[in-house]
């Protein structure tokens, strides 16, 4: 069942999203060669706590950290570490969640570390743009499959692999709610969107194969061919004639 959120709930979700956006604004300044993913994690956690929220991910299903920091061939759920030092030419996806007064904000963004290759620049751009291709389909009365198809069709037109094993999701008092939101599919299928639905839409796009595997830690998910991966995500609320992004300043 897909919940419809009240305007009171949406206001709380928007504040949670604003706190996440503050973290990403700081990440734009902090992601650079020589910094560890643990340092980035700690900065985000400090911002979240300073604004009266708690990290949504920390302890979720046993996840040990405040953010997911996924470098190069890590698709999602990378665990921050003092040993993982960013180098020029890397790309990193940072997925951040904040819980404010019982409601969650969730957003991921991918960053270039110093100068990156043209191929990696294209991967970041296409993944970013695929998110907004999907969002263009969001409005009351549209099908969720319209969003999924727009994302997948755009990314695959560049020859990239669209991850199928993980999805976006609803957001509210739970970090993950119905519905699952695939990044591929057929337009005109799936649930019909209604005003007040809050959705985390998050393309995970690989430079090579769509296939992934989970490492022995049970979290870190990498591409099967070791190609690089990018990840962008916004939490949005469906409106009558479109959408409103909740994870922004």
């Amino acid at each position: 069942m897909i919940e419809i959120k009240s305007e009171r709930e949406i206001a709380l979700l928007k504040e949670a999203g604003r706190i996440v956006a503050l973290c990403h604004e700081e990440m734009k300044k902090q992601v650079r060669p020589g910094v560890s993913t643990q340092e980035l994690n700690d900065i985000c956690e400090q911002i979240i706590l300073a604004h009266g929220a708690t990290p949504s991910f920390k302890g979720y299903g046993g996840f040990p950290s405040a953010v997911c920091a996924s470098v190069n061939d890590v698709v999602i759920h990378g665990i921050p570490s003092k040993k993982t030092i960013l180098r020029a030419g890397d790309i990193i996806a940072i997925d951040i969640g904040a819980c404010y007064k019982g409601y969650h904000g969730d957003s991921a963004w991918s960053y270039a570390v110093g100068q990156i290759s043209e191929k990696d620049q294209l991967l970041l751009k296409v993944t970013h743009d695929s998110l907004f291709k999907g969002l263009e389909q969001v409005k009351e009365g549209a099908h969720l499959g319209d969003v999924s198809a727009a994302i997948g069709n755009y990314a695959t037109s560049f020859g990239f692999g669209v991850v199928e094993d993980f999805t976006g999701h609803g957001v509210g008092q739970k970090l993950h709610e119905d519905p699952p939101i695939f990044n591929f599919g057929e337009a005109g299928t799936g649930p019909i969107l209604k005003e007040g639905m809050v959705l985390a839409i998050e393309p995970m796009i690989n430079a090579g194969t769509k296939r992934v595997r989970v490492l022995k830690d049970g979290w870190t998910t990498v591409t099967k061919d070791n190609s690089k991966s990018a990840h962008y995500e916004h939490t949005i609320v469906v409106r009558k004639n479109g959408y409103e992004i909740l994870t922004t300043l």
Side-chain angles (χ1 to χ4, degrees):
M1 176 180 165
I2 306 173
E3 292 184 2
I4 305 297
K5 305 301 191 295
S6 68
E7 289 301 322
R8 181 192 70 83
E9 290 178 300
I10 290 167
L12 292 168
L13 288 160
K14 192 169 186 177
E15 179 58 19
R18 186 185 74 86
I19 294 166
V20 170
L22 286 171
C23 293
H24 279 298
E25 281 299 304
E26 188 62 25
M27 290 299 96
K28 291 176 185 177
K29 305 171 190 174
Q30 298 295 338
V31 170
R32 63 189 185 277
V35 71
S36 74
T37 55
Q38 184 65 51
E39 290 175 79
L40 299 176
N41 174 87
D42 293 348
I43 291 167
C44 289
E45 185 165 10
Q46 289 168 9
I47 292 170
I48 291 167
L49 294 173
H51 288 83
T54 55
S56 298
F57 301 164
K58 195 171 187 178
Y60 184 84
F63 190 77
S65 302
V67 307
C68 301
S70 304
V71 181
N72 293 333
D73 66 335
V74 180
V75 181
I76 51 172
H77 301 160
I79 299 173
S81 170
K82 292 178 181 178
K83 295 180 180 179
T84 305
I85 308 295
L86 298 182
R87 299 176 298 176
D90 288 343
I91 61 175
I92 179 173
I94 303 176
D95 193 356
I96 305 170
C99 184
Y100 178 77
K101 295 186 177 180
Y103 288 83
H104 295 275
D106 188 4
S107 173
W109 218 250
S110 292
Y111 299 91
V113 182
Q115 188 65 37
I116 62 173
S117 69
E118 288 187 7
K119 181 179 179 181
D120 291 344
Q121 290 177 35
L122 181 63
L123 175 64
L124 295 188
K125 185 177 189 309
V126 169
T127 308
H128 172 276
D129 292 351
S130 72
L131 169 60
F132 285 89
K133 291 290 184 183
L135 291 179
E136 286 173 5
Q137 303 300 315
V138 175
K139 63 179 180 180
E140 185 166 74
H143 287 266
L144 189 57
D146 300 344
V147 179
S148 300
I151 293 169
N153 292 343
Y154 184 76
T156 55
S157 73
F158 288 86
F160 292 144
V162 178
V163 175
E164 297 182 357
D165 294 9
F166 297 90
T167 70
H169 50 91
V171 183
Q173 289 182 288
K174 295 179 181 177
L175 180 58
H176 294 101
E177 298 183 351
D178 287 336
I181 304 169
F182 294 92
N183 293 308
F184 66 98
E186 187 177 340
T189 65
I192 294 174
L193 301 181
K194 297 179 181 178
E195 186 172 21
M197 289 180 175
V198 175
L199 310 171
I201 298 172
E202 50 178 319
M204 293 153 268
I205 308 298
N206 301 339
T209 181
K210 65 184 179 182
R211 299 177 67 199
V212 302
R213 63 187 179 92
V214 180
L215 301 186
K216 289 181 180 180
D217 62 25
W219 287 105
T220 308
T221 301
V222 301
T223 57
K224 277 209 167 179
D225 61 358
N226 301 121
S227 62
K228 289 183 180 178
S229 184
H231 181 198
Y232 286 86
E233 173 188 24
H234 267 313
T235 300
I236 61 100
V237 58
V238 178
R239 296 301 193 184
K240 284 198 180 297
N241 297 310
Y243 63 92
E244 178 184 358
I245 296 175
L246 301 180
T247 40
T248 190
L249 298 179

